[in-house]
Amino acid sequence: MDLKRTHYIGNLNASLKGQKVIVGGWVEDLRELGKLTFLTLRDVTGVAQIVVVGEEGIKQVKDLNRQSVVRVTGTVQETKARDFPFEIKSEKIEILSRAVHPLPIDPIGRLESNIDNRLNARALDLRNQKTASIFKMRHHALQSIRKTLTELGFIEVNTPKIIGSASEGGANLFSLKYFDKQAYLAQSPQLYKEQLTLGLERVFEISSFYRAEKSHTVRHLTEFTSVDIEADFMDYLDVMEVLEKVVTDVFEHVEKNCIQEQKVLGIEVKKPKTPFERVTYAQAIKELGREGISLTEGDDLQDSHLRKLGEMHQGFYFLIDWPMKLKPFYIHEKDGEPSLSKSFDLQYGYLELSSGGRRLHDPNKIRARLVEQGLNPSQFEDHLKAFDWGMPPHSGWGLGLDRLMSVLTKIDNVREVVLYPRDPERLFP
Ligand code: AMO
């Protein structure tokens, strides 16, 4: 059976009047009107009205369930329908796959389904134009990130996800049996991306990473997508500029290239103003103090503190110069202020989107920091030996793509912007 289509529906228009076309897709609606049957057909690019004529065609579609797959050969013609600029008069209808009813959710979204039911039927949920629009936007966001970083001289890499020792310290590691050995799922590409600056100078990776966190929030997943960069000859303020550009380019690209998707989602994406505000940790503590929240230097900022800060600093802002004791072992201290670090988080209101900083490149300093943090330097020797091979000073960051998508689409729950989200409760489908 021939499966070819001559056009995606989105590429058809009224000027093709009289032309023979072959389209294919899913039956969204079927209405009988006297001697005619109107079939609404959707493919990934759009929707078209098909007028089914002739006894045989009408008989074929009579008992056809919605969401069945058909291929239609017909001719483009003018239409009286208000919702369509043209219609296709069918000559031949081939039924390629029948949908079996009842379906678990209404994929058109006329009947709202709760998120659990939608995630349980995710493939079908993608026929809902709101859901499809989120993932088309995600595609555009990824394209933009790759373009920006490539233009800045970054090389895309793939690091292992099955690893022999922790990359971010011991907490929240998933372990697995690796034949007769113990292995872990990577929490981040941290150690690898740092090592790669030695040969490739500027690298980036976009990939899934894993955290065994029993968090039941709208922003935590056990498997999340991270955009990571690492660059030599850059300090933390330099990579913050790269981050600002990556994020604003995504907004600009989506604003321009996802017009229809914004309409479907009922949102307006606008390029954010730059430069993003920079708030030091010390300043944040002072501001919180004025709000009656008393913290001393070295205290971590809890969710409630970040919510308060988010009210005071709306939109994107950097929180910089965190105390060393709150930062991972690989982060570099500030020149002349060794209790503070060359580090930053990128916030959107209360939500942390990214963290990063300048890294230590003196292996003895790293060993000392590992001990300070209760980690065993001998487990990091494979990593640390690279620091004797001419390790350049370097900086980088990790950006949570799922969280960025939730900001971009103005949808709070990251589960909505991830195809098959994994959280402590959800392992299927
Ligand atoms: P961090 O642990 O802060 O830093 O992670 C970086 C960013 O990844 C996202 N993220 C998550 N998103 C969803 N669910 C999770 N469980 C989750 N955990 C993290 C967040 C966060 O800001 N190696 C460093 C980065 C670096 O310094 O380069 C790191 O992993 O958006």
Side-chain angles (χ1 to χ4, degrees), residues 55-306:
E55 227 171 85
E56 201 195 328
I58 290 181
K59 209 164 89 196
Q60 260 185 307
V61 299
K62 192 159 179 50
D63 299 318
L64 194 60
N65 279 331
R66 287 170 179 76
Q67 301 305 328
S68 294
V69 184
V70 298
R71 181 170 178 259
V72 178
T73 307
T75 313
V76 178
Q77 65 179 24
E78 267 170 24
T79 183
K80 294 198 186 91
R82 253 186 290 147
D83 299 342
F84 295 98
F86 61 88
E87 61 189 21
I88 299 167
K89 186 173 157 199
S90 80
E91 281 161 32
K92 186 162 110 187
I93 297 195
E94 293 158 277
I95 297 166
L96 304 182
S97 174
R98 287 179 187 273
V100 180
H101 284 211
L103 295 170
I105 56 170
D106 168 23
I108 312 300
R110 273 186 217 133
L111 288 175
E112 287 252 335
S113 303
N114 71 34
I115 180 154
D116 273 320
N117 290 341
R118 291 203 287 108
L119 291 177
N120 289 340
R122 192 52 140 170
L124 183 60
D125 184 39
L126 285 168
R127 312 242 57 231
N128 180 324
Q129 290 313 291
K130 280 197 173 153
T131 312
S133 295
I134 294 170
F135 292 99
K136 288 177 185 172
M137 274 194 183
R138 190 171 164 123
H139 160 74
H140 279 277
L142 282 165
Q143 295 267 303
S144 166
I145 293 168
R146 288 202 159 92
K147 179 167 183 286
T148 303
L149 289 173
T150 303
E151 282 171 7
L152 290 172
F154 285 81
I155 293 171
E156 184 163 5
V157 297
N158 305 104
T159 64
K161 304 298 164 280
I162 302 176
I163 55 173
S165 62
S167 38
E168 296 280 341
N172 62 41
L173 260 182
F174 279 114
S175 57
L176 65 123
K177 235 174 108 225
Y178 190 71
F179 307 110
D180 57 347
K181 294 190 183 66
Q182 164 103 332
Y184 306 94
L185 292 180
Q187 299 151 300
S188 79
Q190 186 64 36
L191 309 186
Y192 294 104
K193 65 177 181 170
E194 286 194 48
Q195 291 179 28
L196 293 176
T197 61
L198 198 148
L200 299 175
E201 299 213 25
R202 293 181 181 184
V203 293
F204 77 100
E205 175 162 21
I206 304 178
S207 187
S208 297
F209 290 97
Y210 304 89
R211 307 256 170 122
E213 283 173 313
K214 279 222 156 162
S215 305
H216 294 88
T217 73
V218 294
R219 63 183 189 282
H220 287 97
L221 295 172
T222 49
E223 179 177 57
F224 68 101
T225 304
S226 182
V227 179
D228 276 88
I229 75 151
E230 204 63 34
D232 66 352
F233 293 91
M234 280 198 182
D235 210 331
Y236 75 133
L237 298 176
D238 303 318
V239 289
M240 279 163 60
E241 278 180 24
V242 173
L243 180 54
E244 194 176 282
K245 177 151 176 60
V246 164
V247 169
T248 50
D249 280 0
V250 164
F251 276 70
E252 193 175 14
H253 180 88
V254 167
E255 177 184 348
K256 288 196 185 126
N257 291 283
C258 301
I259 312 268
Q260 177 62 14
E261 289 74 15
Q262 293 176 68
K263 220 187 274 167
V264 170
L265 290 171
I267 58 168
E268 223 177 285
V269 173
K270 280 261 159 292
K271 183 179 174 180
K273 286 207 178 67
T274 52
F276 296 163
E277 192 186 4
R278 293 172 185 189
V279 181
T280 64
Y281 167 89
Q283 196 181 329
I285 298 284
K286 266 196 211 134
E287 287 177 5
L288 289 170
R290 285 200 290 273
E291 296 291 317
I293 300 168
S294 153
L295 295 172
T296 40
E297 196 188 304
D299 288 344
D300 205 355
L301 299 182
Q302 306 297 332
D303 192 50
S304 60
H305 308 142
L306 291 170

